[in-house]
Amino acid sequence: MALSFAADSVSLSARQLLCERDDRVLFENLDLDVRNGDLLQLAGPNGAGKTTLLRLLAGLNRDYEGDLLWHAEPLHDCFAEYAANRVYLGHLAAIKRALTPIENLRWLMSPWQNAGLELHEDDLWQALAEVQLGGFEDTPCNQLSAGQQRRVGLSRLALVPAPLWILDEPFTALDVEGVSWLEERIQRQVAAGGAVIITSHHALQGIPSLRRLELGVRATEGRS
Amino acid sequence: MALSFAADSVSLSARQLLCERDDRVLFENLDLDVRNGDLLQLAGPNGAGKTTLLRLLAGLNRDYEGDLLWHAEPLHDCFAEYAANRVYLGHLAAIKRALTPIENLRWLMSPWQNAGLELHEDDLWQALAEVQLGGFEDTPCNQLSAGQQRRVGLSRLALVPAPLWILDEPFTALDVEGVSWLEERIQRQVAAGGAVIITSHHALQGIPSLRRLELGVRATEGRS
Amino acid sequence: MWQWLVRLYHRLGSPKWFYELTGKWIIWLALLSGVGMLVGVVMGLLFAPADYQQGDSFRIIYIHVPAAIIAQSGYMIMAVSGAIFLIWRMKMAAWVARAVAPLGASFCLIALFTGAIWGKPTWGTWWVWDARLTSMLILLFLYFGVMALQRAIESEDASHKAGAILSLVGLVNIPIIKYSVDWWNTLHQPATLKLTERPPMHPDMLIPLLIMIVATYLLFALLVILRTRNEILWHERKRSWIQELPEVAARIKGGQR
Amino acid sequence: MSLVRATVRRDLLLAARNPGEWLNPLMFFLMVAAMFPLAVDPDPAFLAKIAGGIIWVAALLATLLSLDSLYKADVEDGTLEQWLASGESLYMLALAKALVHWLCSGLPLTLMSPVLALMMALPDDAYGALVLSLLIATPILSLLGSVGAALTAGVRSGGLLLSLLILPLYIPVLIFAASAVYHASIGMSFNSQLGFLGAMLALAMCLTPFAAAAALRLNLSR
Amino acid sequence: MSLVRATVRRDLLLAARNPGEWLNPLMFFLMVAAMFPLAVDPDPAFLAKIAGGIIWVAALLATLLSLDSLYKADVEDGTLEQWLASGESLYMLALAKALVHWLCSGLPLTLMSPVLALMMALPDDAYGALVLSLLIATPILSLLGSVGAALTAGVRSGGLLLSLLILPLYIPVLIFAASAVYHASIGMSFNSQLGFLGAMLALAMCLTPFAAAAALRLNLSR
Ligand code: HEM
Ligand SMILES: Nc1ncnc2c1ncn2[C@@H]1O[C@H](COP(=O)(O)OP(=O)(O)OP(=O)(O)O)[C@@H](O)[C@H]1O
Ligand SMILES: Nc1ncnc2c1ncn2[C@@H]1O[C@H](COP(=O)(O)OP(=O)(O)OP(=O)(O)O)[C@@H](O)[C@H]1O
Ligand SMILES: [Mg+2]
Ligand SMILES: [Mg+2]
């Protein structure tokens, strides 16, 4: 797939975002803009609120104050359109352990197919081969190692045509080769005019346009 | 605690170890010796069998052929003694989410106390403070972030007097500060004459005596 | 003697030996049980006299009783092979146990089904909560429990062991269950319908029954062996001796894999 | 293929690969019903009097137990998160999941019920009422239950909690259904009971998916 | 403090912090028993005849459902792995866990049973037999059940599966206990039944922890 995204396809903004968990303010007055070509890494110590913010940005959680805008419209007012333009990959990979990688991937791709993506069986097999799962396509996922299971979920990134990627700790459990594959994928996405928001304790070397958002002071300091 | 272990307290050997999973040989003819002062990192791509080998070495799984020896005696013949001399920390942290870090740590330490370790409440609080959980001691664990929950399990390493540590991907979900704390702990353990066996995709820089065992070819090559 | 036992044990534990040996048995087992059944059925249906009370309907006994007997011994076989697997870690035993479970359950179902069919003309009802019937039903539940557990556990080895543990616990419980059900029944149930008191059977009825029992045992053995051989083929599929088997080699050549 | 259809397909595939999913409720149904003659009195004349009620209680419990797994796996492995992320209607998902659940529990139970009726000496006249009432009312059980399953999906030992939430809601179904069977067994008409059950079914189909969808959303906004 | 004692303490602490663990089985017990008058025939004379059996069936089901969570959480969060790693006796752990389970399910059920008996119009003479039979026999249920819980701890939707495994094994307990209550209610002696239950309890205490320990080991050797 020769990727390339329209120059104004991504426009996600947060305005004066405030988020509390159990009476502890995780972040406040947070302003944020993500446009085409951006790569934003959310950084910060354990418990700073990276996952929390990422889930807000992905639209999975409405428990915040302030505004989240997609093309200047409140995110949850145009959620269907937003959903069709971003892919979210969390800690959990939505992999059914009794099914094979190919069956799992087929389900993962179904919303995109419904939205008009043409996909052949070959594409699926190729995506799995790309994440080094060639030969395991028909092995039930419960027989795969921790890293192999994560790769099944990641293989989706090779197929999905969404301009915005939202990834939570995607490097977890990946070996060196897996890490470099993913880094390259991210780089390609940004180069093609897409955007990526990522949380990771990993350094993300070698990607030029990287922007870091350092979240919060150490969480312990906020204690009462 | 000023750590220091007797010079011959660690002697773990594998001889001609063979392990199959689902008719695929993960490793065979594996010979391995771990003595005081050793730091052994199991490396290899996803699915190579690192976790599997580590669980064998920890004595959690008897599904292998060949010999595992502790001080020249079969491991499972002197298991109680072996267990009192090594600590195992797997993917799962044995943390009850409804309990607080301090309550969890108390349970985790009970076998060592039973074996004669003197432990005061203060020691527990201090161990938690060391992993940056000061202030969260009485917060139920289900309100902690991914990394904070892992830290509860890790805090045990500050207290346990076992010469041999066996750790599976201990850097998962830790932030930079957490990683450097753990690296330093590992270094101290080795310097005090203990031994550490670890699987990690993390580089483990700055520890001089590091030995790496590269496991298996890429798992895909073994396929039929 | 001891030496011989040890050798036998090692042989029994060897899938290759089992496969080759039983390969020669199949045909004989099939022949014997087939002929036995034919003889038994012909004798039972055509030559045995009709029952003076039940008329011809009693003839279903030639299926019912063998099936009931085998359902019970099947459980024993399953539990004992499970124990052998647990104690000596002999894989063959686990495969046998797994092969037996659904077969035993099937015979159990057959016994229940034929019993019900028989009950209608004799008792005027398909089912009563008689002690024997009830304990047969519970046996079916025990079989289903073992099968469901084996199915549910992902890891192959663990599923064998779990099945073995459960069938052993069940084995210890079977006498307790049987006893309690008998006791319960004698307390509650007025003795209106009884199949426990066996009238001394006429030899012309008895002989075909005995023949049928033996033949059904042979059939059961045959089925267990066939299923076990299937397990062997699957688990040892990558071993050279399998690939060199004429029937397998021919398929590999034929490109059927 | 839309995500709803893909999910129905995947869930049926899972049920086919793991037959316990529909066999286990069936066996449980049998076992629970079989406990009563043992605990109470195996006399057929007596059993005939309680057969309809017992069979219905057993069906209800079997459905209840099979509900536990309806959403739990989906929440734990992140499937639900992907659903929500996809922006498709959770209402449709909830309806689809209830349908799959009924296909894997209510339908087999209904088909099996005559065998149990036989064993419990249900009067011949009541067979039709039993099967019909099960056919109409087990979907209600699946629909109502799916709300409970959605609410407790994130809870660890949810099985028991789910039962507590849902049992009270099942009571009207139980009353009408058991009374239909009872009336049939004494030769009376049972149309009005079936009518009520049908009305409840219609109502449940419209309303419960909303509740289930809202409950699912709760699981996600952690 | 030994790991066994620490575990008992921690599990009781968990139960105290999450009262559902012992309240839910109790409520379920009540609800299931309450379903029967609705499904069958609320006439007190009729109820009195079936009360003992029904209460026992309800107790059995409540215990069964509460077993599901006995080991599951421990397997999932790695507690069991640490147990095995510590080299302490799994036999003792299994016994301790069964004890905790009984304290959180069997004991409250027993204490609650007179209330239910009242509602079900159990004859006055049978109260003693009901409470005594529950007191002796619910520990058997916990012990036998813990084997099933250990076997299914690693299985996803274990609740139903567990019931299938364990229900047939519970039948002797049900028969003797229900018969004790019945005999008491018609004014006969029920010593022999209690004697049998006591013998079963002794047997279960000796044997089931072995089976449970072996089953637990399975969950670890992945
Ligand atoms: C579903 C109903 C029935 C079941 C589950 C059942 C079960 C059994 C069982 C377990 C046996 C024992 C076999 C053995 O170990 O020797 C047996 C034997 C027998 N059954 Fe049935 N039975 C049923 C119905 C009937 C009926 C309706 C009749 C006829 C009136 C009948 C007549 C017999 C006879 C004559 C024997 C052989 C007696 C003996 O060898 O002890 N059964 N049945
Ligand atoms: N369910 C919850 N209830 C209350 N507080 C919570 C809950 N989940 C998280 N928190 C709090 O919110 C804070 C942020 O959690 P979050 O998971 O977003 O951290 P994170 O930055 O992703 O950390 P990590 O690097 O460890 O993954 C934590 O300090 C935690 O105490
Ligand atoms: N339960 C199982 N049944 C069958 N095969 C398994 C099972 N668990 C693991 N395997 C196989 O064993 C191999 C080794 O798995 P293991 O978890 O040891 O890998 P690993 O080296 O720890 O990988 P990772 O870096 O991804 O954690 C995998 O290729 C997997 O296919
Ligand atoms: Mg996080
Ligand atoms: Mg691993």
Side-chain angles (χ1 to χ4, degrees), chain C residues 54 61 64-65 68-69 72 112 115-116 118-119 122-123 127 132-133 136 195 198:
Chain C
Q54 306 181 8
I61 198 175
H64 173 73
V65 174
I69 292 176
Q72 290 166 341
L112 285 166
W118 195 358
T122 43
W123 303 335
W127 180 267
R132 183 103 61 109
L133 274 59
M136 203 67 186
L195 72 143
R198 163 173 33 173

Side-chain angles (χ1 to χ4, degrees), chain A residues 171-189:
Chain A
F171 296 103
T172 304
L174 289 188
D175 59 14
V176 185
E177 207 171 327
V179 167
S180 70
W181 175 82
L182 184 56
E183 284 190 337
E184 198 240 290
R185 265 282 160 200
I186 291 175
Q187 217 163 337
R188 252 206 272 171
Q189 171 79 356

